[in-house]
Amino acid sequence: MASSPFTVSQERKIVTELPGPKSKELHARRLKTVSRGAGTLVDIYMDHGSGAILVDVDGNQIIDLGCGIGVTTIGHAHPAVAAAASAQASKLTHTLFTVTPYENYLRVAEKLAEHTPGDFEKHSILVNSGAEAVENAVKIARKFTGRRAIAALDHAFHGRTNLTMAMTYRPFPERAGMGPFPGEIYSVPTSYPFRDPEGMTGVEAAERTIDYINTHIGATELAALFVEPIQGDGGIVIPAEGFFETLSAFCTANGIMFVADEIQAGIARSGAWYSIEHSGVVPDMITSAKGIAGGFPLAAVTGRADVMDSVQPGGIGGTFGGNPVSTAAALAVFKLIEDENLIGEAQRVEKAFFARIGDWAEKFSVVGEVRGKGAMFGVELVHPGTRKPNPEALTAVITHATINGVIVLDAGSWDSVLRFLPSVVISDELIDDAATVIEEALAKLSV
Ligand SMILES: *Cc1c(COP(=O)(O)O)cnc(C)c1O
């Protein structure tokens, strides 16, 4: 790496029990003031970070395989992003783009047009969060097509607002008790090679999806099909080859917007700018968020100019969307990915992880499958000798990793997929060390 000025040594160092005494103190305060609904995976309170290491309030150096769900792809507190944001913060922090515009917004839209797939004019809108981007994509698709129905894939995660909860697959913990949800939202079958009938191809899975659409919704009623090219919260599910090609052709033939939700898998994470590129499909619209601004809140919908411009002025927008500081941070992120070949780094991380964890399904009976692309990995945990999901094993692995200073994520509709979304600047040594810690837990569960 040309300029990777880490301010913290890239090593795991445990100096107290985890969580440590200061974390415990903060946690006691938190229970008195913060909603229980904002549950945390790990009750370790962080103080600072650099690269792939987080340092907690007790001084423990922890390997971060989560990146706050795939946000700090370029590493924690990257100096280039910090400098861009702080320079912008003392220059101009807000005007509202739709009152008086500024150049940063245009520059981010230009970068999105440059790096999203498709050889045509693309326009963008910038908003604050992933869910807000998905909501806007729904509005735009309905406005452009004049249709109402929206389809999302089984095991999808599209957000936690009322509309995006309806598009999110599993009831727990995201939806339970918080309906009613808006109508005209449908879950349709996906391709999930580990759980589909043995040998089912991507084309066959897409035919199943299309049949479901035809018999439950009607192709002429459907405004948009939303897909995560690699499902994140669903458990790093990568559909079989041919799935997206077949669905995209069906959408094009029937005037349905094909929308790729790239909020988790986009912006270099999968070893490409956008994960749909692995299939060669060109979506009508793409949503970006998480990794786009190194931790600052920013999200976008980018799409065909005719689609994006079908909305009347004022029909989409929002007070903070495309904030000057967030866009300055995003421009620094785009520059880092371009100048430091972070897409190549994501591919290196893929190779290093698979070299280390690729044989886990053979080595550990509790592991059903290891899968991934770029810097995103899913380890599906099962009851030994079966494909039955094993959520208890996942809890045990996360607990073991946590108390030994490795942050890992959970995922999957059955809460049985161990998920890694490390920074693309993580070293091969840290990958090896983290894998060793996790193997201790897998070995105990596999006897
Ligand atoms: C995280 C995520 C969202 C929601 O983004 P927020 O910023 O949390 O609203 C939507 N879609 C996908 C694929 C995500 O991973």
Side-chain angles (χ1 to χ4, degrees), residues 151-154 188-191 202-214 222 224-229 239-259 276 279 281-284:
L153 298 177
D154 287 351
V188 302
T190 187
S191 162
V203 173
E204 287 163 354
E207 282 164 353
R208 178 176 62 181
T209 310
I210 291 165
D211 183 61
Y212 189 96
I213 290 172
N214 285 331
L222 188 58
L225 171 65
F226 280 72
V227 308
E228 292 162 86
E241 225 180 287
F243 181 68
F244 291 125
E245 292 88 327
T246 308
L247 283 184
S248 160
F250 166 76
C251 286
T252 303
N254 290 282
I256 300 161
M257 296 293 98
F258 183 96
V259 186
I276 193 71
S279 71
V281 164
V282 177
D284 298 299

Side-chain angles (χ1 to χ4, degrees), residues 141-154:
R142 284 176 167 162
K143 179 78 188 172
F144 179 74
T145 60
R147 304 174 182 180
R148 291 182 183 169
I150 300 292
L153 298 177
D154 287 351

Side-chain angles (χ1 to χ4, degrees), residues 63-95:
I63 303 176
D64 185 12
L65 299 187
C67 284
I69 322 257
V71 169
T72 54
T73 310
I74 54 157
H76 284 289
H78 197 291
V81 177
S86 73
Q88 182 62 46
S90 47
K91 199 174 154 204
L92 183 72
T93 52
H94 180 80
T95 69

Side-chain angles (χ1 to χ4, degrees), residues 129-132 134 157-159 228 233 261 263-264 290:
S129 70
E132 201 186 344
V134 172
F157 181 85
H158 293 298
E228 292 162 86
D233 287 48
D261 181 348
I263 287 166
Q264 192 160 144
K290 290 195 165 86

Side-chain angles (χ1 to χ4, degrees), residues 4 33 61 72 87 97 227 247 306 308 333 337 341 349 371:
S4 36
T33 48
Q61 291 190 195
T72 54
F97 185 78
V227 308
L247 283 184
D306 59 328
M308 296 299 294
V333 169
I337 296 171
N341 185 25
V349 169
R371 50 184 182 251

Side-chain angles (χ1 to χ4, degrees), residues 120-447:
F120 43 77
E121 189 165 325
K122 285 168 248 161
H123 292 179
S124 289
I125 171 141
L126 304 184
V127 291
N128 304 294
S129 70
E132 201 186 344
V134 172
E135 290 229 359
N136 276 285
V138 169
K139 287 167 62 176
I140 296 163
R142 284 176 167 162
K143 179 78 188 172
F144 179 74
T145 60
R147 304 174 182 180
R148 291 182 183 169
I150 300 292
L153 298 177
D154 287 351
H155 311 293
F157 181 85
H158 293 298
R160 283 191 172 81
T161 56
N162 187 259
L163 175 57
T164 58
M165 265 193 294
M167 298 167 68
T168 288
Y169 182 69
R170 62 179 190 175
F172 289 96
E174 286 91 0
R175 295 201 324 253
M178 288 181 282
F181 303 113
E184 296 288 338
I185 308 283
Y186 300 86
S187 272
V188 302
T190 187
S191 162
Y192 189 154
F194 184 69
R195 301 215 163 268
D196 281 340
E198 194 87 28
M200 181 180 244
T201 67
V203 173
E204 287 163 354
E207 282 164 353
R208 178 176 62 181
T209 310
I210 291 165
D211 183 61
Y212 189 96
I213 290 172
N214 285 331
T215 55
H216 290 73
I217 309 168
T220 55
E221 304 302 300
L222 188 58
L225 171 65
F226 280 72
V227 308
E228 292 162 86
I230 298 174
Q231 283 185 330
D233 287 48
I236 315 297
V237 178
I238 306 174
E241 225 180 287
F243 181 68
F244 291 125
E245 292 88 327
T246 308
L247 283 184
S248 160
F250 166 76
C251 286
T252 303
N254 290 282
I256 300 161
M257 296 293 98
F258 183 96
V259 186
D261 181 348
E262 292 269 10
I263 287 166
Q264 192 160 144
I267 316 284
R269 175 151 297 278
S270 79
W273 276 102
Y274 286 92
S275 63
I276 193 71
E277 291 172 55
H278 300 297
S279 71
V281 164
V282 177
D284 298 299
M285 281 188 274
I286 287 184
T287 55
S288 308
K290 290 195 165 86
I292 194 173
F296 287 86
L298 185 70
V301 185
T302 304
R304 280 166 44 191
D306 59 328
V307 175
M308 296 299 294
D309 290 352
S310 64
V311 180
Q312 64 280 14
I316 49 178
T319 304
F320 292 120
N323 169 270
V325 179
S326 290
T327 47
L331 292 168
V333 169
F334 278 112
K335 189 165 163 36
L336 282 169
I337 296 171
E338 291 164 359
D339 293 356
E340 303 196 354
N341 185 25
L342 295 189
I343 287 175
E345 287 302 293
Q347 293 162 0
R348 171 191 61 83
V349 169
E350 176 182 330
K351 282 199 200 85
F353 260 95
F354 275 114
R356 192 63 186 70
I357 75 172
D359 63 352
W360 277 1
E362 286 90 72
K363 255 163 76 182
F364 303 111
S365 58
V366 78
V367 174
E369 185 179 60
V370 177
R371 50 184 182 251
K373 193 90 192 139
M376 48 197 317
F377 307 91
V379 180
E380 182 140 359
L381 303 180
V382 294
H383 288 277
T386 73
R387 295 199 169 200
K388 198 169 165 261
N390 195 338
E392 298 80 18
L394 181 62
T395 304
V397 173
I398 293 176
T399 303
H400 178 84
T402 300
I403 62 179
N404 287 286
V406 181
I407 303 289
V408 296
L409 302 173
D410 56 353
S413 293
W414 296 273
D415 276 316
S416 58
V417 180
L418 180 63
R419 174 173 45 156
F420 309 142
L421 298 171
S423 161
V424 301
V425 306
I426 190 170
S427 68
D428 292 0
E429 291 73 27
L430 281 183
I431 292 170
D432 182 56
D433 185 29
T436 303
V437 168
I438 295 158
E439 279 175 335
E440 294 160 6
L442 294 175
K444 258 187 252 165
L445 291 161
S446 293
V447 287

